[in-house]
Amino acid sequence: MQPPRIILRRLLVLRSSKSPSIARPFTINTNLASRGRPQIPFLSVPLVRNQQFRYLTTERKRWLAYEVYLGFKYTFYVWAIIGFSVAGYWAIQQEWLERKYPTPHEWSFWTRLRFRLARWAPDRTDTPTVDWVLVGNFVKDVLQRLEDENIDGAGLLPNKTESGEILGYDITAKSEPWRRGYYEALMLCAKAAEYLDDHVVDKTRHLVFPKDQVLGPSNPNPKPISHGSPSAPREKDCERAFEAPETIYQKILATKGFTPKQNMDAALEYASWLDFKGMLDASETMYERALSLAAESSLPAPPPYDPQSFVLHDTTRQPSANLLTTLTALATHKARIGDVATALPILLSILRARRSLPDPQPTKTTYTDPEEEHSSPWTLQNVTGTAKRLLSPPKYPPPPDDGNKPPVRDAKELCEEAALNLYIGEIIYASSPSSSRNSREDGLAWTREAVDLAEEQLHKLNNSENADDAAVAVAKKTCQECLNTGLENWRTMVARLAKEEREREAKEPTKASGGWLTGLWSEGKTETTGGRWTAEENVVKERTRRALEVLEESEAPKPSFGSLFRA
């Protein structure tokens, strides 16, 4: 039997031979010198970079798809609201323009749209100046469409010369609204041509400039361009921006189908343009042509005026409105060129004829029940009537008066009388020498009477029941222009007379009124008290202030929206 020490040694050797050759991780990774807690791999917190997560889970995909759907949905809603708002505003604006500037219903949509915009542009108050280039482009496009047989000009017969040039058209086959709209388009085109007569267009940039800003040998001192505007054009790159007004007026007079009044108005506008350009002989010829057109209504009887002096002498017949208008324009032309001896008798005869016109017939007043007048605007009749007026297209207005009958002495004609007083007073005052004080006082008296008459009629028109009527609006405009011009003439005349009065008083020797003691204390200073014309200057200022109140009253705002619901 082996001793116990040998048996124990063998057991240790056997155990060491059976132990694995690879050491345990616990003993290798453990820092025996550290007193802290051992770091066991399966007990440690895993790091993020060592893990991978699913960013697009099923719930997140659904959420993202719903968010994208909401984004497109609300974007569509916002743009739809903006689009419908713009379309609604445009429709309301076009409806308002159609009611204010009616167009013939037989015209095409784009022709009516452009013509409304062309007529609206000169009357806009939201722009500092009138863009006559835009007006001219609009109305030229309207005329091209009206004269195109494939669009709105079916049935037009051109009046050609031997060389094939079209002077005008024969529009007798068209309806009266079509002919009237065509005439208005031509007159607006002529007006735009007058404003653009001294303008050129740069062919390289298609921009319009005044002729005095062009760089070239014909304009050695060009006018500087305003700040922010494009550079000045060169003369070789420019051409006329618009056709000459003479061409358009001659086209109107060569067109068959217009009424005598329309031809007369066109001839008067053409004569005024020739007068402005300094073509006095041509303008006189055109005034006489307008006078012959106005006298057609009196045929076969002889005209009621003297063909040589143009003075109305036939008191048995009352002159027509066209004849009074043409003779007034001819007299002002005579006065403008200095032929006062011919102009003054014509104006006096016209004034005598106007004062002999009949008074207007009193309008029949119908009885209205006070209960119906103050009834609620929300009745079925008022609501249906308002809806019918808003939804149905506005009717084209009836043709205006042809002017072949004598006018009545209404508010507008009384303001025309006031304008005649202004013409007569201005002619008498301007043609009187400085030494003739009585003649200038006579001219001032005519002006004063014109101001009184215009102010009185404007005050009546402001208080009239039919304040929104078109005829009343025209009469108001005539009275406003007459009142403004009369006040300006009166102020100018009185200011000149007051200045002469002060100069005359300054030249006269001062009279001693208080002895030597007064002269001692006054130290050579003299006080001149105002005379008659200085006192009238104050009167003119007071009348101007009072007239401004009447003018502001005539431009008062119209009734509110609730008035639409009254039958």
Side-chain angles (χ1 to χ4, degrees):
M1 183 175 180
Q2 295 179 358
R5 181 177 298 177
I6 297 174
I7 295 173
L8 182 58
R9 186 179 301 163
R10 288 181 177 178
L11 288 174
L12 292 174
V13 172
L14 181 62
R15 186 178 179 180
S16 60
S17 61
K18 292 181 178 182
S19 61
S21 58
I22 300 174
R24 295 177 61 185
F26 180 78
T27 58
I28 296 174
N29 295 333
T30 301
N31 187 5
L32 298 179
S34 175
R35 295 183 180 181
R37 184 177 179 179
Q39 299 295 327
I40 304 175
F42 63 87
L43 292 179
S44 63
V45 179
L47 299 177
V48 177
R49 64 176 182 270
N50 295 332
Q51 301 292 332
Q52 293 182 356
F53 297 93
R54 294 181 60 191
Y55 289 99
L56 292 177
T57 59
T58 304
E59 291 78 5
R60 183 165 293 183
K61 287 180 180 179
R62 293 177 181 175
W63 176 79
L64 289 176
Y66 183 69
E67 291 294 326
V68 172
Y69 166 74
L70 286 181
F72 281 107
K73 176 182 177 181
Y74 289 118
T75 302
F76 174 77
Y77 284 168
V78 169
W79 282 107
I81 292 173
I82 294 175
F84 285 131
S85 300
V86 172
Y89 172 78
W90 182 83
I92 293 174
Q93 183 192 57
Q94 294 303 314
E95 180 70 17
W96 174 76
L97 288 176
E98 177 63 27
R99 295 181 183 275
K100 189 173 183 180
Y101 307 104
T103 54
H105 295 173
E106 53 192 304
W107 289 3
S108 60
F109 173 77
W110 292 111
T111 305
R112 298 176 66 182
L113 174 65
R114 286 172 170 83
F115 190 48
R116 284 194 296 263
L117 295 176
R119 294 181 63 187
W120 179 43
D123 299 336
R124 294 184 64 173
T125 57
D126 57 342
T127 55
T129 57
V130 179
D131 190 356
W132 287 107
V133 177
L134 181 66
V135 175
N137 291 334
F138 273 138
V139 75
K140 280 179 63 176
D141 184 72
V142 169
L143 291 175
Q144 289 176 359
R145 296 177 65 87
L146 291 177
E147 295 170 358
D148 190 349
E149 59 180 7
N150 297 323
I151 302 178
D152 293 319
L156 293 184
L157 300 177
N159 299 329
K160 298 182 179 180
T161 59
E162 296 179 356
S163 59
E165 182 183 0
I166 298 177
L167 297 178
Y169 291 90
D170 186 357
I171 60 174
T172 53
K174 292 293 186 179
S175 64
E176 192 278 332
W178 195 99
R179 297 197 304 268
R180 198 188 335 159
Y182 182 61
Y183 173 78
E184 292 174 354
L186 284 172
M187 292 298 289
L188 184 58
C189 185
K191 187 176 181 181
E194 290 181 2
Y195 280 96
L196 299 176
D197 184 60
D198 58 343
H199 284 63
V200 295
V201 59
D202 188 354
K203 296 181 292 184
T204 60
R205 294 178 293 175
H206 303 286
L207 297 176
V208 178
F209 295 87
K211 191 182 297 183
D212 55 3
Q213 295 180 350
V214 177
L215 303 177
S218 63
N219 188 25
N221 298 317
K223 186 178 179 180
I225 297 291
S226 59
H227 179 70
S229 301
S231 59
R234 295 178 298 179
E235 186 176 356
K236 63 179 182 180
D237 298 332
C238 295
E239 63 180 6
R240 189 182 181 90
F242 214 76
E243 54 185 324
E246 295 87 350
T247 306
I248 304 174
Y249 284 124
Q250 291 172 3
K251 183 178 181 180
I252 296 174
L253 296 175
T255 299
K256 297 180 180 180
F258 292 144
T259 62
K261 178 174 174 54
Q262 289 173 340
N263 287 324
M264 183 201 72
D265 292 338
L268 289 178
E269 293 292 336
Y270 187 19
S272 177
W273 169 252
L274 294 174
D275 204 359
F276 172 75
K277 298 297 288 185
M279 305 176 185
L280 302 182
D281 296 336
S283 64
E284 185 121 8
T285 303
M286 196 53 58
Y287 277 118
E288 294 178 358
R289 179 174 180 178
L291 189 59
S292 64
L293 290 170
E296 285 184 357
S297 60
S298 62
L299 297 177
Y305 61 88
D306 187 358
Q308 300 297 328
S309 62
F310 304 105
V311 175
L312 289 170
H313 59 79
D314 190 356
T315 58
T316 59
R317 292 181 298 166
Q318 292 178 345
S320 63
N322 292 341
L323 193 59
L324 293 174
T325 302
T326 309
L327 285 175
T328 304
L330 178 62
T332 54
H333 162 72
K334 296 285 187 181
R336 196 178 297 115
I337 63 177
D339 192 1
V340 179
T342 305
L344 194 57
I346 298 175
L347 291 175
L348 289 174
S349 66
I350 296 172
L351 182 61
R352 192 182 307 113
R354 283 192 177 276
R355 288 179 176 176
S356 64
L357 293 175
D359 294 329
Q361 296 286 340
T363 57
K364 297 181 180 180
T365 58
T366 57
Y367 174 75
T368 57
D369 191 359
E371 295 182 359
E372 294 181 359
E373 185 178 357
H374 298 286
S375 61
S376 173
W378 299 103
T379 60
L380 180 61
Q381 181 181 1
N382 292 336
V383 172
T384 55
T386 302
K388 189 180 297 183
R389 288 196 302 270
L390 292 177
L391 296 179
S392 60
K395 296 181 180 180
Y396 195 68
D401 186 18
D402 55 2
N404 293 328
K405 296 181 180 179
V408 294
R409 206 159 178 250
D410 54 3
K412 181 179 181 299
E413 295 302 322
L414 289 174
C415 289
E416 294 289 348
E417 286 185 26
L420 284 174
N421 290 336
L422 283 180
Y423 293 147
I424 296 171
E426 188 174 355
I427 290 173
I428 294 175
Y429 185 91
S431 59
S432 302
S434 302
S435 59
S436 179
R437 187 182 305 177
N438 294 332
S439 299
R440 292 197 294 176
E441 290 182 5
D442 291 341
L444 186 60
W446 282 94
T447 305
R448 195 184 298 116
E449 183 180 355
V451 172
D452 294 339
L453 184 58
E455 185 178 359
E456 179 186 359
Q457 296 306 315
L458 186 58
H459 185 70
K460 289 181 180 180
L461 290 173
N462 292 337
N463 298 329
S464 63
E465 297 179 355
N466 302 325
D468 296 334
D469 193 7
V472 175
V474 174
K476 276 187 178 181
K477 184 178 180 181
T478 304
C479 292
Q480 288 173 0
E481 293 176 354
C482 182
L483 183 57
N484 288 325
T485 307
L487 288 172
E488 184 178 355
N489 289 357
W490 190 9
R491 183 168 53 250
T492 304
M493 294 176 183
V494 173
R496 186 174 300 175
L497 290 174
K499 181 181 178 181
E500 293 177 359
E501 183 182 47
R502 287 190 292 267
E503 292 177 353
R504 188 169 56 253
E505 290 180 356
K507 292 180 181 179
E508 292 179 357
T510 58
K511 296 181 180 180
S513 59
W516 65 273
L517 191 59
T518 305
L520 178 63
W521 288 104
S522 62
E523 297 180 358
K525 296 180 181 180
T526 59
E527 295 182 359
T528 59
T529 59
R532 170 189 173 186
W533 302 116
T534 304
E536 188 159 349
E537 275 188 318
N538 299 327
V539 174
V540 174
K541 292 179 182 178
E542 178 62 25
R543 290 294 299 275
T544 304
R545 184 193 62 80
R546 191 174 70 182
L548 288 177
E549 296 177 358
V550 180
L551 292 172
E552 291 176 358
E553 184 181 357
S554 64
E555 299 176 357
K558 294 183 179 181
S560 60
F561 181 75
S563 62
L564 294 174
F565 298 94
R566 300 187 184 274

